Amino acid sequence: MRIAYAGLRRKEEFRILAEKLGFVPLLFPTQATEKLPVPEYQDRLQEVGRGVDLFVATTGVGVRDLLQAGEALGLDLKTPLQGAYRLARGAKAARALKEAGLPPHAIGDGTSRSLLSLLPLGPGRAALQLYGKPLPLLERALEERGYQVIPLMPYRHLPELEGIRRLEEAVLRGEVEAVAFVAAIQVDFLFEGAVDPGALREALNTRVRPLAVGRVTADTLREWGVKPFYVDETERLGSLLQGFKRALVASPGQHGVASQHREAV
């Protein structure tokens, strides 16, 4: 079975895991990443180094990037973050914080909205780690609670136009049997850049099985009118592929939804 991968990172890991499980992997990333101007990010890291009252982590890679960037600048960011109240948006961000010795005080369900009820009241300084795009919902909520917000966006996402074109063609021509999405923005970029989003939606609902890592990615597929075939909520590539293989065995002729907790079709 040919399975396309829309992700930007961990392409080689996906290829190796897919081949071990008997799949034929095809790499069609729909997103690119561009670094923000270094001086802007450095200035904000300096602010964090002076101390914050609240740290909101939204992605694992963003947490690691932040700490590594601080080390490169000779900044000790762990000490001020140890003194802050720490929130993680989901499992990946929580894992990265724990690995850094900064376990979160509370964890959301993977969505930004889930953090709203977990935000403590200010006033104070809040560092908001972003993941390639602004999060006005969280920024407004923090400001309403009395925080001065320090947005930390080391990178921003851009569409990968060639990958989008190749993935759309592969889906519409029947050159793949499944597509794996590991981030919501990959779904958005694919449909926003598609030549024929209606035909793409129809193919993903009938002939090609869409796979999603995490609840946010799955919800984004549904927002575009696509029902995921398999959803993995552990947010790990290996678990996604292994679960998908089990789901195929359990329902070989079915195109409906399978997940770690099966949904009604």
Side-chain angles (χ1 to χ4, degrees), residues 19-229:
E19 289 177 346
K20 282 183 178 178
L21 291 169
F23 297 118
V24 178
L26 299 168
L27 306 178
F28 300 132
T30 64
Q31 70 176 103
T33 298
E34 181 182 80
K35 292 288 183 181
L36 278 173
V38 173
E40 179 181 351
Y41 189 43
Q42 286 184 351
D43 290 345
R44 291 176 179 173
L45 290 178
Q46 296 279 1
E47 287 189 58
V48 175
R50 289 191 284 271
V52 293
D53 302 287
L54 173 65
F55 177 55
V56 182
T58 59
T59 66
V61 68
V63 170
R64 295 184 188 96
D65 185 283
L66 183 148
L67 294 174
Q68 290 167 5
E71 289 177 4
L73 293 171
L75 293 173
D76 171 22
L77 295 183
K78 281 192 177 182
T79 297
L81 293 180
Q82 283 171 344
Y85 188 81
R86 298 177 296 277
L87 293 178
R89 186 174 65 116
K92 287 184 179 180
R95 194 178 306 132
L97 285 172
K98 290 174 184 175
E99 290 171 356
L102 299 165
H105 295 93
I107 305 172
D109 65 8
T111 65
S112 296
R113 189 169 294 278
S114 69
L115 291 175
L116 297 181
S117 63
L118 303 177
L119 295 175
L121 289 174
R125 286 158 48 88
L128 175 59
Q129 178 260 312
L130 302 170
Y131 56 100
K133 63 179 182 180
L135 291 175
L137 178 72
L138 280 177
E139 289 196 44
R140 284 197 304 270
L142 287 166
E143 289 169 353
E144 288 169 359
R145 285 162 175 77
Y147 287 99
Q148 173 196 344
V149 182
I150 305 170
L152 300 166
M153 185 159 61
Y155 54 87
R156 63 170 174 260
H157 297 306
L158 299 172
E160 174 53 69
L161 300 181
E162 178 64 14
I164 292 169
R165 181 189 65 80
R166 292 174 63 201
L167 179 55
E168 181 182 12
E169 289 178 353
V171 170
L172 296 183
R173 293 174 180 174
E175 296 171 356
V176 296
E177 284 74 46
V179 181
F181 299 96
V182 296
I185 202 162
Q186 295 158 12
V187 180
D188 287 333
F189 280 156
L190 175 61
F191 277 94
E192 289 168 359
V195 174
D196 192 341
L200 183 65
R201 182 181 303 109
E202 190 272 338
L204 289 171
N205 277 322
T206 56
R207 303 187 301 277
V208 179
R209 294 173 171 90
L211 318 177
V213 168
R215 174 177 171 179
V216 177
T217 307
D219 285 346
T220 303
L221 278 167
R222 296 183 185 104
E223 288 170 6
W224 284 101
V226 174
K227 180 176 287 189
F229 175 79

